[in-house]
Amino acid sequence: QIDEAEVVAFSVPSYACLRRTTLDNHNPVLTDALSLLAENAELSDEDGRGVAFRRAAAVLKALPEPVTGVTQLRGLPCLGGHSLRVIRDILENGASSEVEFTKQSERFKALKVLTDIFGVGAKTAERWIRDGIHSLHQLQESGQTLNRAQQAGLEHYDDLKQPVTKAEADAIGEIVEEAVVSVLPGAQITLIGGFRRGKLTGHDVDFLITHPEEGREVGLMPKVVSWLESQVKLSGTKQTENTPEDTGHRRWRAVRVDLVVSPISQFAFALLGWTGSKLFERELRRWAGHEKAMSLSSHALYDNKQVNTLHYAVLPKRVFFVIVAGKNP
Ligand code: DGT
Ligand code: MG
């Protein structure tokens, strides 16, 4: 039994955006468990619980060493009774019964499989599950009508489930850059999302597009999309066009791409707002609002006491798609 006085106690700011957090953390078993419960809550339309588990996981991610006992967590923010129960369970028994139960549950497994299809959200998956659809096979057999995104998602399911590497993100960056400068010379693209935070893999590749001259970016997105459609086939059949020697790492594969266009006057806010993580952005906005009486969005930052000084100029322009791409053979 460890003497309580010898136990390291931690201290972290309560707003996640005020903490320094590294890519790797010292408590992956605990943070994975809490993240799984967060995911389950989000997929079950329980966003409040989802955020609570995300916040708890984020606090553990910020700790400088592994947690060995719950007494070390005394006084830490964002650790509610439920999260603490899960943590204690893991520290004392090696696993959390709730996490293990969730992982094994048919409902969670079905929600995961179905929402892993590009274009399928929690609501749609929920409806399908109510209709007895729990697997891709059952979905295909069911005769459910799928929209275009979902059809592409199903067609490229295995590809899209594979994490995107930084090398692939860079290769896609070159294609997107070519598209963007072809339709608007002088336009600039910036890698955003997880890769901008230094992650080595991601579930998609996110880019922010702007032009140094305000207004030139208007109408850009449909042109970029048509260029890509004509040049790389957004959900085409490039795989079958591989020559026999062009297999292996150079084969074509589908990757999720998320493009955001911003006028240069909003670029800084868009860059900050789309770099993530989702929890970081949420906390930054909460901190701005509660502590600074200011409103932060991906478009602007304004002082709540002088609301009239700044207006939202335009609505966000954003498009998601699946790009079937690789290095040109
Ligand atoms: P990933 O792709 O799984 O490696 O991780 P991230 O962090 O790249 O996440 P992703 O791609 O879903 O989103 C990139 C960032 O963009 C995210 O961290 C916050 C922001 N973001 C995502 N979805 C939305 C949205 O619907 N609205 C706004 N304003 N921002 C969003
Ligand atoms: Mg991303």
Side-chain angles (χ1 to χ4, degrees):
Q1 195 64 40
I2 314 166
D3 184 347
E4 257 209 37
E6 286 173 25
V7 167
V8 197
F10 305 115
S11 138
V12 302
S14 68
Y15 287 100
C17 59
L18 302 182
R19 301 174 202 140
R20 187 182 290 275
T21 309
T22 51
L23 275 181
D24 292 314
N25 84 75
H26 298 280
N27 293 281
V29 175
L30 299 177
T31 56
D32 284 353
L34 292 168
S35 301
L36 184 130
L37 295 180
E39 191 181 9
N40 184 50
E42 288 157 2
L43 291 175
S44 308
D45 203 20
E46 295 176 8
D47 289 343
R49 270 154 71 89
V51 172
F53 285 128
R54 295 269 174 222
R55 286 207 178 109
V59 164
L60 298 187
K61 284 179 189 171
L63 300 182
E65 45 187 279
V67 176
T68 51
V70 276
T71 49
Q72 291 173 301
L73 304 177
R74 231 176 255 160
L76 283 183
C78 312
L79 295 177
H82 196 154
S83 293
L84 279 172
R85 232 168 22 248
V86 173
I87 295 167
R88 178 178 291 114
D89 220 10
I90 294 172
L91 292 177
E92 291 175 1
N93 310 317
S96 148
S97 46
E98 181 178 0
V99 171
E100 296 312 308
F101 176 84
T102 305
K103 261 192 219 168
Q104 300 305 323
S105 85
E106 289 307 317
R107 198 188 121 76
F108 179 69
K109 285 193 277 190
L111 281 169
K112 281 278 282 181
V113 167
L114 297 175
T115 55
D116 268 348
I117 304 170
F118 175 67
V120 178
K123 293 237 157 62
T124 303
E126 185 75 51
R127 203 179 66 236
W128 288 345
I129 291 170
R130 273 203 305 272
D131 289 345
I133 298 166
H134 287 76
S135 67
L136 297 186
H137 182 70
Q138 286 170 340
L139 177 62
Q140 277 156 330
E141 298 293 292
S142 72
Q144 288 277 348
T145 35
L146 305 179
N147 64 32
R148 262 188 67 196
Q150 294 164 344
Q151 281 167 23
L154 203 52
E155 184 185 347
H156 301 293
Y157 188 83
D158 291 329
D159 270 3
L160 297 179
K161 248 181 54 165
Q162 292 298 317
V164 186
T165 64
K166 180 63 167 59
E168 287 172 322
D170 290 337
I172 284 166
E174 283 172 29
I175 297 169
V176 173
E177 174 148 39
E178 199 188 335
V180 168
V181 299
S182 304
V183 300
L184 180 62
Q188 291 161 0
I189 79 162
T190 310
L191 190 61
I192 48 175
F195 287 113
R196 183 159 187 266
R197 304 198 302 278
K199 278 179 63 181
L200 298 174
T201 59
H203 94 287
D204 68 357
V205 195
D206 310 284
F207 296 101
L208 176 60
I209 304 167
T210 191
H211 191 283
E213 226 176 290
E214 183 84 6
R216 293 289 298 278
E217 79 293 342
V218 172
L220 179 58
M221 192 71 90
K223 290 184 200 151
V224 171
V225 173
S226 335
W227 189 96
L228 287 168
E229 254 160 0
S230 67
Q231 301 290 317
V232 294
K233 305 262 193 297
L234 289 192
S235 57
T237 52
K238 284 283 184 188
Q239 282 108 325
T240 58
E241 293 171 20
N242 287 335
T243 52
E245 67 271 68
D246 184 41
T247 48
H249 70 285
R250 264 161 51 100
R251 93 179 176 85
W252 291 91
R253 73 105 144 184
V255 169
R256 273 186 68 156
V257 177
D258 193 347
L259 300 183
V260 181
V261 173
S262 140
I264 191 73
S265 58
Q266 301 178 6
F267 179 77
F269 307 107
L271 184 61
L272 179 61
W274 289 93
T275 296
S277 69
K278 285 198 180 92
L279 183 69
F280 179 88
E281 301 293 345
R282 172 186 268 273
E283 294 280 286
L284 196 59
R285 288 166 201 201
R286 196 165 64 92
W287 178 71
H290 292 184
E291 307 296 330
K292 302 287 170 188
M294 297 182 97
S295 291
L296 176 67
S297 72
S298 302
H299 306 281
L301 173 68
Y302 66 79
D303 192 323
N304 290 344
K305 296 181 288 297
Q306 303 167 29
V307 178
N308 297 325
T309 54
L310 233 165
H311 300 282
Y312 288 79
V314 288
L315 288 168
K317 298 203 174 46
R318 182 186 181 196
V319 66
F320 308 100
F321 54 81
V322 174
I323 187 168
V324 181
K327 280 273 183 217
N328 220 332

